[in-house]
Amino acid sequence: MSNPIIKVENLSKKYVISHQTSGRNRHGTLRDAITDGFKSVGKRFTKQSNTADPEHEDFWALNDVSFEINQGDRVGIIGRNGAGKSTLLKILSRITEPTRGRITIEGRVASLLEVGTGFHAELSGRENIFLNGAILGMSKVEIKRKFDEIVAFSEVEKFLYTPVKRYSSGMYVRLAFAVAAHLEPEILIVDEVLAVGDAQFQKKCLGKMEDVSKEGRTILFVSHNMAVVQALCDRGIFLTQGSVSNNDSISNTVNAYLTSLEQAKDDNLLHRTDRRGGGKVRVSRVTLHRAKEGSGNTESLFQVGDPVKIKIDFEGDCLGLECRFTIYEQQGQAIATFSSADRSELDSPSKQSSGFFVCDLEELLLMPGRYRINVALSGNHALQDHLEGAAFFDVEQGTVRGRPVLPNSYGYVHFPHRWSEI
Amino acid sequence: MNLETLLGINFFATENLPLLIAFLSILVLILLARIMTKKSAGKTELGDYESNSTAKPKLIIEAGRADRQYWKDLWRYRELFYFLAWRDILVRYKQTVIGILWALIRPLLTMVVFTIIFGKLAKLPSNDVPYPILVFAAMLPWQFFANALSECSNSLISNSNLVSKVYFPRLIVPASAVVVSFIDFLISSTILIALMIWYKFVPTWGMLMLPFLIMLAFAAALGGGLWFSALNIKYRDFRFIVPFVVQFGLYVSPVGFSSAIVPEQWRLLYSLNPMVGVIDGFRWAILGQNTAMYWPGFMLSIGIVLLLLISGIWHFRNTERTFADII
């Protein structure tokens, strides 16, 4: 057993959240600073300085986190929104400073928190390779040496002298990842950057990351896709509300995470705090019903082929409100996405502020298994609310148009079909 | 027989003080250049990293730790510094028809306007120096300072995607912004050379002091820029304050006129503006003895520039670690 390459001891990070009501953002203005300054002087005179400031609240994004990572470990960091994953990565890559605690790292770290950091739209692909490489910490000589490899990996040879603003988004991502993939650090920190790009390229990236880990490098990887995490990592760290709740082999950690997702199930989703978005509108309930029997009972167990009604209740009001939800299988692989923004003539016209969205599925064409739903509401041209694991349901064997669908088959979806014997 | 009597120059006489400064600054530059080349000759750039990776650099991250590796890191990241400056220069003139000519046109037109208004209409004294040269000798450092200050102040905000996603010594960003303006300065200084040829104006030995004066302007811009860029992150008000400071500064600095027209008893006070010393120095260096140098004021300006630079670095280093959280 080698020495730990990364040693994290009692790491904590505090953010101060400002509760000022809308209108002013958190950047603050000079006027605020000046008036606050006078206020505190005034308080000192009136001796009220000990009262807690109601406008500001401390938020511990990480709370007393300790763990060790050995050379060659491939560690998956998982947890829900706001569990502190990104904060941890930011501290490890020295972008921000911890409030308390200590980290010892032995080796050169490269972190990839975003694809194409520092890409400049006006510059050509070639120029961006050099710029991005330098930003990620490569030396000019190193970039020159790997230039051909990078270009070959990115598959954009023809457009090397075109400004990247004229690239398709796929090309852009490919080029950006190609640069990052050729970093040669001892420790590679990757935040969910693989969620972009087409499937073929994603596969290529994963392959590259596997190669990297075979060379004995250490990888820290954040993802919501449990299948990818399990394929790539051998260890897992599961964060809950800023603390490590599991630090074990990857399969145990993933299981703990999946169990916790279901345990957190609360009928009133407004109680959940692990959400993202502006918050003008918030999802309050997500329920599934068997459509045949009216809208009566809430169900969580269906048979393949059942007609299903998915109802999303929300609170608040917002202009141009749109609903989008995605069904995931248990490991975090997305199966199908539904968006109210893509209209069909079969949709019934929207009623303003009815307080809910309903989506009707004529047939549930999912293979037997366990599924969960993530919901996002957007309006005012911005994400307003996003919840992971807003609802769970099981699918058991059933029949689709007279054909039995059995649990022990491969894949996640069933297509209605017909055979002919010739 | 010593050197002084040999050359017939008394180095320590007040009128030769600038010569001494120029001599010293050139000496410092040569020394710096020697050190730099020695370092890079010793090991290749590649070797720099390779040797690091075999030795496994140990890094400790802790709250409030004054990063001891900071200056070493700054050196390690010098290539990024170069790349950022290179990017800004490349981007600046992309999709423009006349490209780099813009760096010439702006100061040239301003010089024409100032010559007409201050020289021809207001008939301010110029001590027999052609007014265009008088104006341009001041316009050069002023434009450099003004551009550098505004670019520098906005540099962190306009690179916020970098600041929030990658680690590097943040000092690189504002410093490379100043370098970009310095390139513009070099380009527009060709106008001055053209003007001097046109007016058959013979340069004096004072020109030797220019490198020192440029360093002074550089320090003034960087010092102010560091203050503003750090403050800009927290208080976006500075986005509006900086253009105002720059515009205001053009009129309170002796750009369109010679600072000789400022009454004697106010000149020390006037020199509290650090650019007064720099601009007067430029005029003195380029125009020679036609302009009298006001030494107490010049020294005061140097002091203020140094104060600005040191306090700027200090403030920047103190606030730097919170940039990513509040940007």
Side-chain angles (χ1 to χ4, degrees), chain A residues 37-74:
Chain A
F38 277 118
K39 267 185 210 160
S40 69
V41 169
K43 268 183 192 165
R44 202 166 297 164
F45 280 121
T46 51
K47 293 190 178 165
Q48 288 177 337
S49 55
N50 285 333
T51 51
D53 190 346
E55 283 181 353
H56 299 285
E57 186 190 316
D58 290 350
F59 169 72
W60 291 90
L62 287 177
N63 204 346
D64 206 19
V65 170
S66 304
F67 58 86
E68 286 182 2
I69 291 172
N70 293 321
Q71 166 114 40
D73 278 358
R74 289 162 292 154

Coordinates of all heavy atoms in Angstrom, one line a residue, chain A residues 37-74:
Chain A
G37 N -21.2 49.9 6.8 CA -20.1 50.3 7.6 C -20.6 51.3 8.7 O -20.3 51.1 9.9
F38 N -21.5 52.2 8.3 CA -22.0 53.2 9.3 C -22.9 52.5 10.3 O -22.9 52.7 11.5 CB -22.8 54.3 8.5 CG -21.9 55.3 8.0 CD1 -21.9 55.6 6.7 CD2 -21.2 56.1 8.9 CE1 -21.0 56.6 6.2 CE2 -20.4 57.1 8.5 CZ -20.3 57.4 7.1
K39 N -23.7 51.5 9.8 CA -24.6 50.8 10.7 C -23.8 50.1 11.8 O -24.2 50.1 12.9 CB -25.4 49.7 9.9 CG -26.7 50.2 9.4 CD -27.4 49.0 8.7 CE -28.4 49.5 7.6 NZ -28.7 48.4 6.7
S40 N -22.7 49.4 11.3 CA -21.9 48.7 12.4 C -21.3 49.6 13.4 O -21.2 49.3 14.5 CB -20.9 47.8 11.7 OG -19.9 48.6 11.1
V41 N -20.9 50.8 12.9 CA -20.4 51.8 13.8 C -21.5 52.2 14.8 O -21.3 52.3 16.0 CB -19.8 53.0 13.1 CG1 -19.5 54.2 14.1 CG2 -18.6 52.7 12.3
G42 N -22.7 52.4 14.2 CA -23.8 52.8 15.1 C -24.1 51.7 16.1 O -24.4 52.0 17.3
K43 N -24.1 50.5 15.6 CA -24.4 49.4 16.5 C -23.4 49.3 17.7 O -23.7 49.0 18.8 CB -24.3 48.0 15.8 CG -25.6 47.6 15.2 CD -25.5 46.3 14.5 CE -26.7 46.0 13.7 NZ -26.4 44.9 12.8
R44 N -22.1 49.6 17.3 CA -21.1 49.6 18.4 C -21.4 50.6 19.5 O -21.3 50.3 20.6 CB -19.7 49.9 17.7 CG -18.6 49.4 18.6 CD -17.3 49.4 17.8 NE -17.4 48.5 16.6 CZ -16.5 48.6 15.6 NH1 -15.5 49.5 15.6 NH2 -16.6 47.7 14.6
F45 N -22.0 51.7 19.0 CA -22.3 52.7 20.0 C -23.5 52.3 20.9 O -23.6 52.5 22.1 CB -22.6 54.1 19.4 CG -21.3 54.8 19.0 CD1 -21.0 55.2 17.7 CD2 -20.4 55.1 20.0 CE1 -19.9 55.8 17.4 CE2 -19.2 55.8 19.7 CZ -18.9 56.1 18.4
T46 N -24.5 51.7 20.2 CA -25.7 51.3 20.9 C -25.5 49.9 21.5 O -26.5 49.4 22.1 CB -26.9 51.3 20.0 OG1 -26.6 50.6 18.8 CG2 -27.2 52.8 19.6
K47 N -24.4 49.3 21.4 CA -24.1 48.0 22.0 C -25.1 46.9 21.6 O -25.6 46.2 22.4 CB -24.0 48.1 23.5 CG -22.8 49.0 23.9 CD -22.5 48.9 25.4 CE -21.3 49.8 25.7 NZ -21.1 50.1 27.0
Q48 N -25.3 46.8 20.3 CA -26.2 45.7 19.8 C -25.4 44.8 18.9 O -26.0 44.0 18.3 CB -27.3 46.3 19.0 CG -28.3 47.1 19.9 CD -29.4 47.7 19.0 OE1 -29.2 47.9 17.8 NE2 -30.6 47.9 19.6
S49 N -24.1 44.9 19.0 CA -23.3 44.2 18.0 C -23.4 42.6 18.1 O -23.1 41.9 17.2 CB -21.9 44.6 18.1 OG -21.4 44.4 19.4
N50 N -23.9 42.1 19.3 CA -24.0 40.7 19.4 C -25.2 40.0 18.8 O -25.2 38.8 18.6 CB -23.9 40.3 20.9 CG -22.5 40.5 21.5 OD1 -21.6 40.4 20.7 ND2 -22.4 40.8 22.7
T51 N -26.2 40.8 18.4 CA -27.3 40.2 17.8 C -26.9 39.6 16.4 O -26.2 40.2 15.7 CB -28.5 41.2 17.6 OG1 -27.9 42.4 17.0 CG2 -29.0 41.6 18.9
A52 N -27.5 38.5 16.1 CA -27.2 37.9 14.8 C -27.8 38.7 13.7 O -28.9 39.3 13.8 CB -27.8 36.5 14.8
D53 N -27.1 38.7 12.6 CA -27.5 39.4 11.4 C -28.6 38.6 10.7 O -28.3 37.6 10.2 CB -26.3 39.7 10.5 CG -26.6 40.6 9.4 OD1 -27.8 40.9 9.2 OD2 -25.6 41.1 8.8
P54 N -29.8 39.1 10.6 CA -30.9 38.4 10.0 C -30.8 38.3 8.5 O -31.3 37.4 7.9 CB -32.1 39.1 10.4 CG -31.7 40.5 10.6 CD -30.3 40.4 11.1
E55 N -30.0 39.2 7.9 CA -29.9 39.2 6.5 C -28.9 38.2 5.9 O -28.9 37.9 4.8 CB -29.6 40.6 6.0 CG -30.7 41.6 6.0 CD -30.4 42.9 5.5 OE1 -29.2 43.2 5.3 OE2 -31.2 43.8 5.4
H56 N -28.0 37.8 6.8 CA -27.0 36.8 6.3 C -27.1 35.5 7.1 O -27.3 35.6 8.3 CB -25.6 37.5 6.5 CG -25.5 38.7 5.7 ND1 -25.3 38.7 4.3 CD2 -25.5 40.0 6.0 CE1 -25.3 39.9 3.9 NE2 -25.4 40.8 4.9
E57 N -26.8 34.4 6.4 CA -26.9 33.2 7.1 C -25.7 32.4 6.6 O -25.3 32.4 5.5 CB -28.2 32.5 6.7 CG -28.4 31.2 7.5 CD -29.6 30.4 6.9 OE1 -30.6 31.0 6.6 OE2 -29.4 29.2 6.7
D58 N -25.1 31.7 7.6 CA -23.9 30.8 7.2 C -24.4 29.5 6.6 O -25.4 29.0 7.1 CB -23.1 30.5 8.4 CG -22.4 31.7 8.9 OD1 -22.4 32.7 8.2 OD2 -21.8 31.7 10.0
F59 N -23.8 29.1 5.5 CA -24.1 27.9 4.9 C -22.9 27.1 4.8 O -21.9 27.5 4.1 CB -24.8 28.1 3.6 CG -24.9 26.9 2.8 CD1 -25.9 25.9 3.1 CD2 -24.2 26.7 1.6 CE1 -26.0 24.8 2.4 CE2 -24.3 25.5 0.9 CZ -25.2 24.6 1.3
W60 N -22.8 25.9 5.4 CA -21.6 25.1 5.3 C -21.8 24.1 4.1 O -22.5 23.1 4.2 CB -21.4 24.3 6.6 CG -21.0 25.2 7.7 CD1 -21.9 25.8 8.6 CD2 -19.7 25.6 8.1 NE1 -21.2 26.6 9.5 CE2 -19.8 26.5 9.2 CE3 -18.4 25.4 7.5 CZ2 -18.7 27.1 9.7 CZ3 -17.3 26.0 8.1 CH2 -17.5 26.9 9.2
A61 N -21.1 24.4 3.0 CA -21.2 23.6 1.9 C -20.4 22.3 2.1 O -20.8 21.3 1.5 CB -20.6 24.3 0.7
L62 N -19.4 22.4 2.9 CA -18.7 21.2 3.3 C -18.5 21.3 4.8 O -18.2 22.3 5.3 CB -17.3 21.1 2.6 CG -17.2 20.8 1.2 CD1 -15.8 20.8 0.7 CD2 -17.8 19.4 0.9
N63 N -18.7 20.2 5.5 CA -18.6 20.2 6.9 C -17.8 19.0 7.4 O -18.2 17.9 7.4 CB -20.0 20.1 7.5 CG -20.0 20.8 8.9 OD1 -19.0 21.0 9.5 ND2 -21.2 21.0 9.3
D64 N -16.5 19.3 7.8 CA -15.7 18.3 8.5 C -15.5 17.1 7.6 O -15.8 16.0 8.0 CB -16.3 18.0 9.8 CG -15.2 17.5 10.8 OD1 -14.0 17.8 10.5 OD2 -15.6 16.8 11.7
V65 N -15.0 17.3 6.4 CA -14.8 16.2 5.5 C -13.4 15.7 5.6 O -12.5 16.5 5.5 CB -15.1 16.6 4.0 CG1 -14.7 15.6 3.0 CG2 -16.6 17.0 3.9
S66 N -13.2 14.4 5.8 CA -11.9 13.8 5.8 C -11.9 12.5 5.0 O -12.8 11.7 5.1 CB -11.5 13.4 7.2 OG -11.6 14.5 8.1
F67 N -10.9 12.4 4.2 CA -10.7 11.1 3.5 C -9.3 11.1 2.9 O -8.6 12.1 2.9 CB -11.7 10.9 2.4 CG -11.7 11.9 1.3 CD1 -10.9 11.9 0.2 CD2 -12.6 13.0 1.4 CE1 -10.9 12.9 -0.7 CE2 -12.7 14.0 0.5 CZ -11.8 13.9 -0.6
E68 N -8.9 9.9 2.5 CA -7.5 9.7 1.9 C -7.7 9.0 0.5 O -8.6 8.2 0.4 CB -6.6 8.9 2.8 CG -6.2 9.7 4.0 CD -5.2 8.8 4.8 OE1 -4.9 7.7 4.4 OE2 -4.8 9.3 5.9
I69 N -6.9 9.4 -0.4 CA -6.9 8.8 -1.7 C -5.5 8.3 -2.0 O -4.5 9.1 -1.9 CB -7.4 9.8 -2.8 CG1 -8.9 10.0 -2.5 CG2 -7.2 9.2 -4.2 CD1 -9.5 11.1 -3.3
N70 N -5.4 7.1 -2.5 CA -4.1 6.5 -2.8 C -3.8 6.7 -4.3 O -4.6 6.8 -5.1 CB -4.0 5.1 -2.4 CG -4.1 4.9 -0.9 OD1 -3.5 5.7 -0.1 ND2 -4.9 3.9 -0.5
Q71 N -2.5 6.6 -4.5 CA -2.0 6.6 -5.9 C -2.8 5.5 -6.8 O -2.9 4.4 -6.4 CB -0.5 6.3 -6.0 CG 0.0 6.0 -7.3 CD 0.9 7.1 -7.8 OE1 1.7 7.6 -7.0 NE2 0.8 7.5 -9.0
G72 N -3.3 5.9 -7.9 CA -3.9 5.0 -8.8 C -5.4 4.7 -8.5 O -6.0 4.0 -9.2
D73 N -5.9 5.3 -7.5 CA -7.3 5.2 -7.2 C -8.1 5.9 -8.2 O -7.8 7.0 -8.6 CB -7.7 5.8 -5.8 CG -7.3 4.8 -4.7 OD1 -6.9 3.7 -5.0 OD2 -7.5 5.2 -3.5
R74 N -9.3 5.3 -8.5 CA -10.2 6.0 -9.4 C -11.4 6.3 -8.5 O -12.2 5.3 -8.3 CB -10.5 5.2 -10.6 CG -9.3 5.2 -11.6 CD -9.5 4.1 -12.6 NE -9.4 2.8 -11.9 CZ -10.0 1.7 -12.4 NH1 -10.7 1.7 -13.5 NH2 -9.8 0.5 -11.7

